[in-house]
């Protein structure tokens, strides 16, 4: 462990048995930080930087407090050595915990302001938004805050209430240092609103909080957070790790979260009392194996025994999937078929320190057929944006061995870089054909005529679809069907006559027509980004899909054009029809 002599500001290396008492610095990085190499090969310019001034003032404070040595992350780690960097990151929580005092320097907080006043610079400090500073807040037993001029503005103990309000961390966790008393979900929630410069660091900065170690693999992106959760599972039976909520795209979700932000609602999730009966679980080549009580949604609705909570959920989902009328038949097909509630051994604590709690938390799983995945008992999580609180004793449950496989693709959560962007209909040109846009399906996910569908909201089915409905005065027309089928999206055109659609049946009629179209999941070679179809009256419709930007945001641009049919575009249409038959 490299330490700085607080008097000479020179580096010295210590073995783990020789480490003396030391102070430690917590701060946010700026543009002129001093590195390990800078300290070893000091130049005249280094002493003029703000980074060196921060180190000098830290050493000055440590010397004043009687400490001979200081640890500063910018210059006490040789980052040119991958092994030393890995050792430092895996040891960092322990190093902060073992320090005698932590000096927290807030460069954006003036010392002449009351840190506890509403809207103070202290409450808005960038230090409270960074991923790495979470462990630097929790681990030290003694922590003092310094303003931008290195004047003491308070300690973790004296500012405990305002810090708890800023961070959402229980005061007992701030002061006791025994964060193991808090559930996995709660600890994840503390990190849910924090950011790191590198995606992988959202996981690496949490290793110490969960007492796990793992190698650093920069470049693995979100898989680092998956690895962190798998390491936690090796030593924990805490089901709150499955209590996250978040949006998902594509063919269902696994049991593990993509990032800490998905635990934002888990601040009061606790393991159920007397959870000695919790089953073990393990990661296998078929997915995460776990035994869970399952409630068949089909049975519950067939027997009309579902609770008020589930009735509310059904109403919410049905309302969300269309702004038109929607009947029980379509709701049952779309919402309940093959769906189970999996009961977790955890609850919401209604108030901090209260003995009162909610019912057991439950998540939605959909069982996959043997043809799809090749084995029994395989499931995916659906409706991952929802989590229910129920009393399992009021339901018929069956404890089953469940395998849930994590998605094979982990993509960036940066919306600017994601391939899954909202659909935006940029062009609708009907060329005097008599066809007009009369409806959008499902109505809930279109923000307005011509505006794009938010794919991230398509959570109700394993494969999501939406459509724009075009019709003429004779009630003949076509649907432009936009499908989300992991990992791609594609358009199709479905034509109909006046007798194909029962318009009095509203959304059911449109929904049945949309979902009657075959999916491409068995024939991935048929995926495409353009579609054509012949229309009544001698017209042809062309649909194209491409990435683009609208109002500074990434979109998937949809263009729909109807033209008078010519020999050239008729031949193209016939070619597309023949290709679809094969």
């Amino acid at each position: 462990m490299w330490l700085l002599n607080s008097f000479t500001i020179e580096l010295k290396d210590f073995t783990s048995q020789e480490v003396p008492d030391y102070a430690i610095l917590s701060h946010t990085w700026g543009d002129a930080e001093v590195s390990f190499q800078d300290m070893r090969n000091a130049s005249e310019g280094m002493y003029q930087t703000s980074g060196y001034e921060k180190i000098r003032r830290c050493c000055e404070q440590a010397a004043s407090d009687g400490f001979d040595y200081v640890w500063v992350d910018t210059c006490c780690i040789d980052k040119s050595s991958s092994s030393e960097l890995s050792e430092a990151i895996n040891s960092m929580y322990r190093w902060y915990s073992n320090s005698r005092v932590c000096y927290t320097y807030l460069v954006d907080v003036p010392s002449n302001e009351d840190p506890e006043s509403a809207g103070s610079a202290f409450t808005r400090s960038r230090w409270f938004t960074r991923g790495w500073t979470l462990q630097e807040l929790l681990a030290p037993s003694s922590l003092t805050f310094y303003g931008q001029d290195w004047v003491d503005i308070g300690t973790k103990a004296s500012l405990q209430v305002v810090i708890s309000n800023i961070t959402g961390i229980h005061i007992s966790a701030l002061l006791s240092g025994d964060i193991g008393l808090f559930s996995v979900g709660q600890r994840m929630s503390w990190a849910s609103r924090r950011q790191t410069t590198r995606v992988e660091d959202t996981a690496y900065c949490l290793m110490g909080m969960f007492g796990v170690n793992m190698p650093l693999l920069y470049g693995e992106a979100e898989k680092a957070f998956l690895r962190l959760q798998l390491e936690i599972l090796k030593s924990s039976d805490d089901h709150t790790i499955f209590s996250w909520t978040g949006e998902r795209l594509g063919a269902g979700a696994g049991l593990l979260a993509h990032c800490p932000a998905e635990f934002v609602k888990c601040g009061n999730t606790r393991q159920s009392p007397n959870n000695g009966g919790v089953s073990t679980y393990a990661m296998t080549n078929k997915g995460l194996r776990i035994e869970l009580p399952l409630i068949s949604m089909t049975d519950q609705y067939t027997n009309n025994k579902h609770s008020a909570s589930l009735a509310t959920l059904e109403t919410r989902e049905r309302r969300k999937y269309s702004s038109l009328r929607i009947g029980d038949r379509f709701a049952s097909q779309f919402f309940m078929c093959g769906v189970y509630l999996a009961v977790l051994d955890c609850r919401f604590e209604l108030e901090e320190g209260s003995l009162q709690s909610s019912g057991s938390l439950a998540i939605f799983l959909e069982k996959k057929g043997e043809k799809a995945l090749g084995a029994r008992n395989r499931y995916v999580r659906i409706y991952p944006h929802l989590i229910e609180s129920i009393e399992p004793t009021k339901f018929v449950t069956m404890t089953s061995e469940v395998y849930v496989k994590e998605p094979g693709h982990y993509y960036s959560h940066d919306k600017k870089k994601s391939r899954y962007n909202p659909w935006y209909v940029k062009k609708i040109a009907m060329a005097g054909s008599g066809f007009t846009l009369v409806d959008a399906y499902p109505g809930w996910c279109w923000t307005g005529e011509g505006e794009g569908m938010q794919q991230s909201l398509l959570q109700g089915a394993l494969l999501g679809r939406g459509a724009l409905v075009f019709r003429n005065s004779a009630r003949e027309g076509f649907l432009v069907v936009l499908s989300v089928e992991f990992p791609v999206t594609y358009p199709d055109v479905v034509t109909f006559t006046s007798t194909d659609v029962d318009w009095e049946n509203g959304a059911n009629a449109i929904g049945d027509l949309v979902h009657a179209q075959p999916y491409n999941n068995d024939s991935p070679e048929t995926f495409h980004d353009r579609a054509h179809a012949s229309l009544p009256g001698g017209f042809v419709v062309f649909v194209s899909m491409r990435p683009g930007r609208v109002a500074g945001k990434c979109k998937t641009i949809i263009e729909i054009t109807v033209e008078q049919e010519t020999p050239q575009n008729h031949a193209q249409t016939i070619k597309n029809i023949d290709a679809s038959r094969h």
Side-chain angles (χ1 to χ4, degrees):
M1 182 181 187
W2 290 96
L3 293 173
L4 277 173
N5 186 297
S6 57
F7 297 96
T8 64
I9 316 184
E10 294 178 349
L11 287 165
K12 183 176 181 180
D13 190 19
F14 293 90
T15 66
S16 57
Q17 295 82 13
E18 300 173 335
V19 175
D21 291 339
Y22 60 92
I24 201 165
L25 177 67
S26 177
H27 64 114
T28 54
W29 283 44
D31 295 330
E33 300 297 345
V34 175
S35 69
F36 179 86
Q37 283 72 27
D38 291 335
M39 293 296 293
R40 300 284 282 185
N41 304 287
S43 65
E44 190 63 33
M46 179 190 76
Y47 300 106
Q48 312 305 318
T49 64
S50 58
Y52 185 81
E53 178 64 12
K54 179 166 48 179
I55 294 171
R56 188 189 69 80
R57 294 296 298 268
C58 177
C59 289
E60 184 179 274
Q61 184 63 50
S64 175
D65 291 339
F67 295 105
D68 294 337
Y69 290 96
V70 171
W71 189 86
V72 180
D73 58 354
T74 57
C75 63
C76 291
I77 304 173
D78 182 2
K79 298 178 181 65
S80 66
S81 167
S82 59
S83 61
E84 185 165 329
L85 177 61
S86 180
E87 178 189 2
I89 290 179
N90 276 275
S91 305
M92 204 167 291
Y93 189 92
R94 175 166 49 85
W95 288 352
Y96 274 89
S97 179
N98 289 344
S99 67
R100 291 299 182 179
V101 63
C102 177
Y103 303 137
T104 299
Y105 175 61
L106 306 180
V107 69
D108 52 357
V109 177
S111 60
N112 59 355
E113 182 183 75
D114 180 5
E116 298 182 275
S117 62
S120 67
F122 180 81
T123 63
R124 294 180 283 107
S125 176
R126 181 171 175 263
W127 187 84
F128 289 109
T129 70
R130 307 305 298 167
W132 287 105
T133 58
L134 176 59
Q135 65 179 356
E136 296 166 16
L137 171 65
L138 293 168
S141 57
S142 177
L143 184 150
T144 303
F145 291 99
Y146 291 87
Q148 56 195 198
D149 56 357
W150 278 92
V151 172
D152 181 338
I153 59 176
T155 65
K156 179 166 66 171
S158 68
L159 298 173
Q160 58 185 265
V161 175
V162 67
I163 295 172
S164 179
N165 291 337
I166 295 168
T167 62
I169 301 173
H170 294 233
I171 289 177
S172 56
L174 288 171
L175 300 183
S176 71
D178 191 359
I179 60 175
L181 298 175
F182 295 84
S183 71
V184 171
Q186 286 177 299
R187 281 177 276 172
M188 288 290 189
S189 75
W190 303 339
S192 62
R193 292 185 173 91
R194 293 174 177 257
Q195 296 87 40
T196 59
T197 302
R198 301 286 295 270
V199 175
E200 297 86 352
D201 285 339
T202 60
Y204 301 158
C205 71
L206 301 179
M207 292 191 295
M209 284 177 52
F210 294 99
V212 301
N213 298 98
M214 59 187 198
L216 309 185
L217 300 173
Y218 283 105
E220 64 177 334
E222 285 88 351
K223 287 187 178 180
F225 193 67
L226 172 64
R227 285 202 297 129
L228 174 69
Q229 293 170 92
L230 293 176
E231 289 296 322
I232 294 170
L233 290 176
K234 291 178 181 179
S235 58
S236 171
D237 62 0
D238 185 348
H239 281 196
T240 64
I241 196 172
F242 308 125
S243 65
W244 56 271
T245 53
E247 304 293 353
R248 280 291 188 277
L249 304 170
L255 284 180
L256 301 180
H258 276 181
C259 60
E262 295 184 327
F263 289 92
V264 69
K265 298 179 182 178
C266 295
N268 288 322
T269 55
R270 302 297 297 265
Q271 287 182 278
S272 298
N274 304 316
N275 68 328
V278 173
S279 63
T280 59
Y281 36 76
M283 182 57 71
T284 73
N285 60 346
K286 293 194 295 184
L288 184 67
R289 178 185 56 78
I290 184 172
E291 289 188 2
L292 291 172
L294 298 182
I295 301 170
S296 169
M297 298 299 294
T298 303
D299 293 346
Q300 296 300 324
Y301 277 89
T302 300
N303 298 325
N304 198 28
K305 293 181 179 180
H306 55 291
S307 68
S309 174
L310 296 182
T312 301
L313 173 62
E314 180 198 16
T315 302
R316 184 165 73 235
E317 289 301 295
R318 288 168 56 185
R319 184 188 306 118
K320 188 174 70 171
Y321 271 87
S322 184
S323 60
L324 305 174
R325 296 193 306 274
I326 182 165
D328 288 339
R329 173 171 57 84
F330 180 70
S332 298
Q333 292 174 347
F334 192 71
F335 174 63
M336 294 179 291
C337 184
V339 175
Y340 296 83
L341 268 177
V343 183
L344 303 177
D345 196 60
C346 58
R347 296 170 178 256
F348 283 125
E349 185 181 62
L350 300 185
E351 290 183 30
E352 182 180 350
S354 171
L355 296 178
Q356 292 184 311
S357 63
S358 68
S360 296
L361 300 184
I363 58 178
F364 289 92
L365 299 181
E366 182 180 54
K367 189 172 185 179
K368 303 307 300 170
E370 293 187 14
K371 181 179 179 181
L373 290 174
R376 296 183 302 166
N377 300 332
R378 293 199 179 182
Y379 296 75
V380 295
R381 182 174 175 183
I382 61 172
Y383 308 111
H385 58 301
L386 300 175
I387 192 163
E388 285 300 299
S389 174
I390 63 171
E391 289 296 340
T393 56
K394 297 181 180 179
F395 296 87
V396 176
T397 63
M398 55 178 182
T399 300
S400 300
E401 185 178 63
V402 169
Y403 289 86
V404 184
K405 197 157 191 174
E406 295 303 308
H409 298 266
Y410 276 76
Y411 49 84
S412 173
H413 294 279
D414 185 345
K415 293 181 180 179
K416 295 181 179 179
K417 299 178 182 178
S418 175
R419 64 187 299 179
Y420 304 96
N421 296 310
W423 292 336
Y424 180 84
V425 180
K426 183 178 180 180
K427 177 183 178 181
I428 297 178
M430 296 293 105
S433 62
F435 293 100
T436 58
L437 175 64
V438 296
D439 211 341
Y441 170 87
W444 65 271
C445 61
W446 294 87
T447 58
E449 184 173 309
E451 282 290 335
M453 174 184 290
Q454 295 282 345
Q455 294 182 46
S456 61
L457 298 178
L458 286 174
Q459 300 298 329
L462 183 62
L463 304 173
R465 276 186 169 164
L468 290 172
V469 185
F470 295 84
R471 194 177 64 188
N472 61 18
S473 59
R475 292 200 168 187
E476 300 172 321
F478 63 95
L479 278 69
V480 174
V481 181
L482 305 173
S483 300
V484 181
E485 193 161 346
F486 193 75
V488 296
T489 64
Y490 58 94
D492 276 311
V493 177
V494 180
T495 59
F496 58 82
T497 66
S498 59
T499 60
D500 290 334
V501 181
D502 177 11
W503 293 103
E504 300 303 319
N505 202 18
N508 269 339
I510 303 172
D512 289 346
L513 190 61
V514 170
H515 290 283
Q517 307 310 309
Y519 284 107
N520 286 346
N521 56 332
D522 292 326
S523 303
E525 67 275 5
T526 63
F527 287 126
H528 49 268
D529 55 11
R530 284 171 171 74
H532 309 70
S534 293
L535 301 176
F539 292 93
V540 61
V541 57
F542 297 90
V543 181
S544 66
M545 174 185 290
R546 69 178 189 276
R549 290 177 65 84
V550 178
K553 296 182 179 180
C554 290
K555 307 281 186 179
T556 296
I557 305 296
I558 309 295
E559 293 189 352
I560 304 166
T561 304
V562 172
E563 299 176 358
Q564 192 71 45
E565 193 164 38
T566 65
Q568 290 80 10
N569 58 35
H570 177 75
Q572 181 63 55
T573 302
I574 296 300
K575 180 180 178 181
N576 288 340
I577 293 174
D578 289 341
S580 67
R581 289 173 177 168
H582 298 287

